[in-house]
Amino acid sequence: MVSMDKKLRIAVLFGGRSGEHEVSLASAKSVLDVLDPARYQIFQVGITHVGAWWTGAEARQRLEQGSTDGLLPCTILPDASRPGLYGIKDNELELLSELDVVFPVLHGTYGEDGTLQGLLGMADVAYVGAGVTGSSVGMDKGVFKDVMRANGIPVVESIILLRSEIEADMNAALDRAEKVAGYPLFVKPANLGSSVGITKCNQRSDLAEGLLEAAAFDRRVLVERGVDAREIEVSVLGNDRPQASLPGEILPSREFYSYESKYVDGTSGLLIPAPMPAELTETVRRMAVAAYQAIDCAGMARVDFFLEKGTDKLYLNEVNTIPGFTSISMYPKLWLASGYTYPGLIDRLIALGLERQAEKDQLLRVYGGAG
């Protein structure tokens, strides 16, 4: 157990190799701005587009500028006997500091998909957020929807197409996709978030373009029925006994809640709480927790729903295990409306990461294994 009498040594990771690199930098700024230097010794770790790790007091600003000037190459080793953050000088490793906890603020592939979580697990360091299972299942939209169906949680009709299928025979891929439902259809990379690579398709030519667009980002492509729906989101917080926030509603400024409306122009409206009957509000919150637990999530997640207009049928869309933390992001805004301050939320997330690691350490002491 980490003593709270001393500063916690925390590495905040951001940037990364995914198409959501810039979103990560914006989220990291918000997190770094509220970490209390009286409580935390903070190490900024920026990961470039090509996957190089750099550390320094101004790492986030440097990556935002496209520079690594004044930064030190660094790494965390997958070696539990050599814990901590290491600098790399003259091709030699030098321990910069042991770490109490890592806060990944990495969206998308190589950050939110279980790969980083596997590294941190092997390094035997506490970290904020879901483990390998929750991260990887939450990331892959096709696998995630299969898990939801297996748990009786309603999701929109969909199929997965492989990039190789699309490249080998576009017409056959289009025929398969059109069997999902009538137009409109949505096409998405299975393993990206933040609305990157998503296309709304109203006819076959749109669908062909959408498949190529999504396949440029991922070898697995999701095609699903378009739903005329309200977009409802719930923030979930906790480990074994998670809590759900009040629901919020997105009012997209564009045809759907695109990358631009989320992160570029910030013009989409947010209604918090979402105007819904009390019974439906509780159903949404209950379903959010059920989805969270079904994929063995931990720490945090934002759970997104479609509420179909005309039928009021509720569909679970996705679970984001490292949701956006920018100034306009729904996850912290929902908790603000539910009683948490932004700094209090960050402190709670760090405590949850430490709690989960303490449980693993206890299992190692008792059984010589991890859970």
Side-chain angles (χ1 to χ4, degrees), residues 41-361:
Q41 184 180 0
I42 304 159
F43 298 91
Q44 296 190 27
V45 178
I47 303 174
T48 68
H49 285 287
V50 296
W53 291 38
W54 297 84
T55 189
E58 297 184 348
R60 196 204 64 81
Q61 295 97 313
R62 289 287 180 267
L63 262 66
E64 195 170 56
Q65 296 161 359
S67 169
T68 57
D69 291 348
L71 303 181
L72 178 67
C74 67
T75 191
I76 294 173
L77 299 173
D79 182 345
S81 71
R82 294 201 286 175
L85 180 66
Y86 284 82
I88 305 171
K89 298 179 181 178
D90 300 321
N91 291 320
E92 296 288 334
L93 292 175
E94 176 182 315
L95 180 63
L96 301 177
S97 176
E98 293 190 2
L99 295 173
D100 297 308
V101 63
V102 173
F103 198 135
V105 192
L106 291 156
H107 306 306
T109 46
Y110 305 109
E112 196 175 355
D113 59 0
T115 50
L116 177 67
Q117 290 72 21
L119 168 65
L120 298 176
M122 292 187 71
D124 199 27
V125 62
Y127 58 90
V128 171
V132 172
T133 301
S135 299
S136 57
V137 174
M139 189 69 192
D140 189 296
K141 296 177 179 67
V143 174
F144 174 79
K145 288 180 185 295
D146 287 342
V147 172
M148 293 302 101
R149 292 182 182 110
N151 282 272
I153 298 173
V155 293
V156 174
E157 304 94 302
S158 63
I159 61 164
I160 287 286
L161 294 173
L162 301 180
R163 179 193 292 145
S164 58
E165 296 179 71
I166 296 166
E167 292 175 344
D169 192 336
M170 174 61 83
N171 283 325
L174 291 170
D175 290 343
R176 281 196 63 202
E178 288 178 328
K179 290 179 181 177
V180 171
Y183 290 101
L185 295 168
F186 275 88
V187 181
K188 308 175 181 182
N191 287 281
L192 275 184
S194 296
S195 302
V196 174
I198 295 180
T199 305
K200 182 178 181 180
C201 307
N202 292 304
Q203 56 192 359
R204 192 174 173 96
S205 59
D206 296 343
L207 184 57
E209 292 177 9
L211 290 176
L212 292 174
E213 170 74 6
F217 290 99
D218 196 353
R219 57 176 288 275
R220 286 165 53 81
V221 174
L222 180 85
V223 181
E224 67 180 11
R225 175 171 69 89
V227 181
D228 183 17
R230 296 166 61 188
E231 298 187 40
I232 308 297
E233 298 185 348
V234 176
S235 294
V236 181
L237 179 70
N239 290 339
D240 290 348
R241 293 175 293 279
Q243 298 174 299
S245 73
L246 294 169
E249 181 172 0
I250 301 292
L251 301 176
S253 60
R254 300 174 186 239
E255 193 171 13
F256 64 95
Y257 195 29
S258 65
Y259 179 94
E260 288 76 12
S261 57
K262 279 185 180 180
Y263 300 113
V264 178
D265 54 33
T267 53
S268 288
L270 305 179
L271 293 178
I272 303 174
M276 295 189 298
E279 183 178 352
L280 183 56
T281 293
E282 289 311 305
T283 298
V284 169
R285 296 176 74 185
R286 190 166 54 248
M287 195 181 294
V289 169
Y292 188 91
Q293 293 177 318
I295 67 170
D296 192 31
C297 207
M300 62 179 165
R302 194 192 70 239
V303 184
D304 301 348
F305 295 87
F306 294 136
L307 181 60
E308 190 168 35
K309 296 176 182 177
T311 68
D312 277 346
K313 188 167 183 180
L314 193 64
Y315 296 98
L316 201 145
N317 181 32
E318 61 184 357
V319 170
N320 292 274
T321 57
I322 305 182
F325 273 89
T326 70
S327 60
I328 60 172
S329 294
M330 183 68 103
Y331 185 84
K333 283 181 174 291
L334 287 173
W335 280 120
L336 183 64
S338 302
Y340 272 95
T341 64
Y342 198 126
L345 176 61
I346 298 301
D347 289 342
R348 179 61 181 148
L349 287 169
I350 292 167
L352 287 167
L354 291 169
E355 174 188 294
R356 198 155 179 259
Q357 182 64 28
E359 292 175 356
K360 293 178 183 178
D361 291 344

